[in-house]
Amino acid sequence: PQSLLQAYAKFSGAPLTVNTINKSWRAPKGEVPVLISEDIVISQPAKILNFLRKQKYNADYELSAKQGADTLAYIALLEEKLLPALLHTFWVEAENYCSVTKPWFASRIPFPLSLYLPGKMSREALNRILLTRGGPPLYSLTEVEAQIYRDAKECLNLLSKRLGTSQFFFGDTPTTLDAFVFGFLAPIYKVCFPRVQLQEHLKQLPNMCRFCDDILTCYFRLTVSGHSPAGQDTADANLQKLTQLVNKESNLIEKMDDNLRKSPQHPPRKLTTLKLAAGGEQSSPLNRLSP
Amino acid sequence: ATLCFQAFLQMCNLPIRVVCRANAEYMSPSGKLPFIHVGNQVVSELGPIVQFVKAKGHSLSDGLDEVQKAEMKAYMELVNNMLLTAELYLQWCDDVTVEEITHPRYGSPYPWPLNRILSYQKQWEVRRKMKAIGWAGKTLEQVLEDVDQCCQALSQRLGTQPYFFNKQPTELDALVFGHLFTILTTQLTTDELSEKVKNYSNLTAFCRRIEQQYFEGHDKESSATVAARSAKRSLLR
């Protein structure tokens, strides 16, 4: 969810600062990611997206009604077919969980939450998988796992066919759907797990890899190999510095651009360089995102 | 849900007979409805049934290219995700509906106290599932809003075409028809859910068209079964 929201924010030009998880014990319901804007606190990805849209950061401005409908459908596909396998890879697969997810997660939240929270998330993930996919005729966990990975691979294949050779799912500008797909794929693609069947499958789909790499290089200013958990910290720090710079400049420009902001909706901004993001004159609410 | 695959089989021009049974859930190999019994094979759930029918040489989506097939699968997931979950929510998590309609209907074939026990058990199961996917915290208004969004997406996708993929009906049409027709014709404590669907005239026209084309041929029998089915709908789910 965190990479999804960051990607969406980038696509739509919303200025946000990323704070690392050390405040999650203060997050209202212990849920992350959390968006804090002035006094409003919002905690679920879907609600955060709605909020950003209402604040006029809309990445789907140029989509037709039918494309908007397609977006909803594909997001449902992702949640239904890809999410269980993703949850499993991160939280349920024993080797992955013990060697990568748990230490990484626990290192970013304060003691004693670090003892409790990863275990809770792991149990919730397993619960969700079993309740939604685990009925008969699949009677054992291994059968359920086999089925969810089959579904996930099919889903990746479908996405690959839909993407084809275009740069983004709806032409040349990224939209909500691209943010969602990126949000789901980036962790699979970049995090180094001991058990990597999804990653291997993904690597066999060159257009999906190209899609992830494109977004990472254009919008996240990272080299292709640099998005490991350790790299996340430097990425966050850089993001923060750059966003602060952007916000200072935009405060000055804001006064001149008052009229522009009164127009109904803003078309998406293409952030070809981050300096250009200073053209983000719509930054009067200072959004802070805690992943 | 039964209606979805009945529509599908009608569209494939395959003759079927619908039978209502109290222990339907137990007869099904996966515990889920609907299921079909062909010769000595029993197949359940829409996905496997479609595969089975395809293996026998009948398929509705052969004329689609790869991208369209991907789109069709995505829309089917949307329908399952939103409409089916909303229907379940309304049946089992909305207290008013549960008390007045679902409990009596679900427990009707059984004597007391079995009817209450079984329906509470089912309710507990459904609520657990809702909690796992994050729907337990939703209010009725939010659920209705989600249904509205889903209908809007379907309506926009359908546009002015007769079917979702233009001239030929596909599995998606059968699925959408099944759910929308159920919503439009099932009696609940409030009409809000069916009102949401009725807001989209092309969707109601779509349902009527499919009903006329595929169900009125079997006139008396199907309208009688539709009425019987709407009374036992939660049972057959």
Side-chain angles (χ1 to χ4, degrees):
Chain A
Q2 147 197 355
S3 29
L4 185 162
L5 292 166
Q6 276 180 289
Y8 184 83
K10 295 246 181 266
F11 297 159
S12 61
L16 53 91
T17 51
V18 177
N19 293 326
T20 44
I21 310 178
N22 56 5
K23 295 202 175 78
S24 80
W25 61 277
R26 251 194 260 153
K29 293 170 195 168
E31 287 170 14
V32 285
V34 167
L35 179 69
I36 303 172
S37 166
E38 293 168 351
D39 289 328
I40 311 170
V41 178
I42 307 170
S43 64
Q44 283 177 4
K47 290 183 190 162
I48 296 181
L49 287 184
N50 274 337
F51 177 78
L52 286 175
R53 280 198 200 104
K54 285 185 188 145
Q55 296 291 316
K56 305 198 168 138
Y57 303 116
N58 190 347
D60 294 341
Y61 184 66
E62 280 158 23
L63 290 186
S64 70
K66 177 183 173 306
Q67 287 173 323
D70 282 350
T71 303
L72 221 55
Y74 277 103
I75 291 174
L77 184 70
L78 282 173
E79 281 180 359
E80 200 54 35
K81 298 282 180 187
L82 194 53
L83 185 59
L86 193 64
L87 283 177
H88 186 272
T89 310
F90 270 76
W91 294 100
V92 180
E93 172 69 61
E95 251 184 73
N96 290 346
Y97 174 64
C98 294
S99 60
V100 180
T101 319
K102 190 169 165 191
W104 181 72
F105 207 75
S107 67
R108 279 163 174 70
I109 52 181
F111 184 86
L113 259 185
S114 59
L115 294 179
Y116 167 68
L117 209 55
K120 174 170 177 249
M121 293 185 70
S122 171
R123 276 191 300 277
E124 274 173 9
L126 182 60
N127 207 19
R128 181 178 173 143
I129 294 174
L130 285 178
L131 280 179
T132 50
R133 313 304 292 281
L138 305 168
Y139 287 104
S140 71
L141 188 57
T142 37
E143 287 176 13
V144 177
E145 287 168 9
Q147 179 64 33
I148 59 181
Y149 277 104
R150 263 200 299 274
D151 285 339
K153 287 173 189 169
E154 195 197 319
C155 179
L156 290 175
N157 291 342
L158 288 175
L159 288 172
S160 177
K161 286 186 192 130
R162 175 63 184 77
L163 182 62
T165 48
S166 24
Q167 198 185 2
F168 297 109
F169 278 91
F170 292 114
D172 295 329
T173 41
T175 56
T176 312
L177 181 58
D178 299 288
F180 263 87
V181 175
F182 176 74
F184 278 81
L185 292 185
I188 305 175
Y189 188 43
K190 288 298 175 187
V191 179
C192 303
F193 282 122
R195 295 286 190 89
V196 286
Q197 50 170 317
L198 266 187
Q199 195 181 69
E200 280 160 6
H201 188 85
L202 186 57
K203 288 190 174 153
Q204 289 170 16
L205 299 167
N207 61 348
M208 302 303 287
C209 298
R210 194 246 318 143
F211 172 77
C212 288
D213 290 331
D214 280 348
I215 296 185
L216 283 171
T217 44
C218 295
Y219 289 91
F220 287 88
R221 289 273 145 166
L222 293 168
T223 60
V224 166
S225 57
H227 197 59
S228 61
Q232 180 76 355
D233 286 329
T234 22
D236 286 350
N238 285 337
L239 207 58
Q240 262 173 315
K241 286 182 207 155
L242 287 162
T243 322
Q244 281 158 0
L245 194 68
V246 162
N247 288 331
K248 277 185 210 152
E249 291 202 42
S250 63
N251 281 333
L252 293 171
I253 301 174
E254 211 185 77
K255 292 171 196 161
M256 297 190 302
D257 284 308
D258 230 43
N259 288 331
L260 251 183
R261 254 185 293 121
K262 289 201 187 107
S263 64
Q265 280 208 326
H266 289 265
R269 314 271 162 182
K270 276 195 202 171
L271 298 179
T272 46
T273 66
L274 281 171
K275 278 272 166 99
L276 251 190
E281 48 278 318
Q282 68 280 27
S283 64
S284 47
L286 189 68
N287 295 337
R288 279 178 295 127
L289 183 76
S290 313
Chain B
T2 335
L3 202 51
C4 306
F5 101 96
Q6 210 182 336
F8 170 70
L9 291 170
Q10 301 272 34
M11 288 171 185
C12 294
N13 271 325
L14 296 169
I16 52 160
R17 203 167 50 112
V18 175
V19 179
C20 299
R21 289 265 195 280
N23 60 341
E25 276 180 341
Y26 297 102
M27 283 204 282
S28 157
S30 75
K32 295 208 177 103
L33 298 169
F35 69 91
I36 55 173
H37 181 201
V38 177
N40 57 355
Q41 284 179 299
V42 184
V43 185
S44 66
E45 290 196 62
L46 194 61
I49 291 176
V50 169
Q51 304 273 38
F52 179 78
V53 166
K54 196 166 177 181
K56 300 283 178 189
H58 298 269
S59 170
L60 291 178
S61 49
D62 282 340
L64 302 179
D65 65 32
E66 292 296 338
V67 175
Q68 286 177 313
K69 281 191 186 155
E71 222 177 277
M72 187 181 82
K73 293 234 163 87
Y75 273 95
M76 286 174 76
E77 286 308 325
L78 178 66
V79 171
N80 275 331
N81 210 338
M82 290 277 195
L83 287 184
L84 186 60
T85 323
E87 283 167 25
L88 276 177
Y89 179 92
L90 208 61
Q91 277 188 316
W92 294 102
C93 302
D94 175 44
D95 294 320
V96 176
T97 317
V98 166
E99 268 312 306
E100 288 186 25
I101 298 187
T102 322
H103 270 303
R105 211 160 57 177
Y106 191 75
S108 61
Y110 308 104
W112 191 89
L114 196 58
N115 56 357
R116 297 301 274 181
I117 295 175
L118 286 177
S119 45
Y120 274 118
Q121 192 184 42
K122 177 87 180 172
Q123 183 178 11
W124 180 75
E125 241 176 72
V126 172
R127 286 203 178 176
R128 219 167 59 133
K129 184 172 162 176
M130 291 289 157
K131 199 164 158 212
I133 57 174
W135 275 60
K138 288 199 184 186
T139 61
L140 189 58
E141 284 72 39
Q142 283 169 325
V143 171
L144 289 174
E145 221 179 273
D146 285 341
V147 170
D148 192 52
Q149 229 186 18
C150 181
C151 289
Q152 191 184 40
L154 289 172
S155 175
Q156 280 163 353
R157 179 66 183 77
L158 183 62
T160 49
Q161 299 169 142
Y163 300 107
F164 279 94
F165 288 96
N166 211 9
K167 303 249 176 0
Q168 292 298 330
T170 56
E171 288 89 351
L172 176 61
D173 299 280
L175 189 67
V176 173
F177 170 72
H179 282 287
L180 291 184
F181 194 79
T182 311
I183 293 178
L184 288 170
T185 53
T186 311
Q187 283 282 53
L188 289 175
T189 47
T190 66
D191 282 330
E192 286 170 5
L193 192 58
S194 54
E195 286 307 314
K196 290 285 175 194
V197 177
K198 283 182 192 158
N199 280 333
Y200 299 97
S201 56
N202 62 346
L203 291 181
T204 40
F206 170 78
C207 289
R208 205 162 298 127
R209 197 182 316 123
I210 295 203
E211 191 195 353
Q212 280 169 350
Q213 203 162 356
Y214 293 99
F215 288 87
E216 259 154 47
H218 306 241
D219 229 337
K220 280 178 239 164
E221 192 222 334
S222 73
S223 55
T225 25
V226 165
R229 224 180 306 114
S230 57
K232 295 199 181 159
R233 204 170 299 283
S234 59
L235 206 60
L236 290 176
R237 247 179 240 287

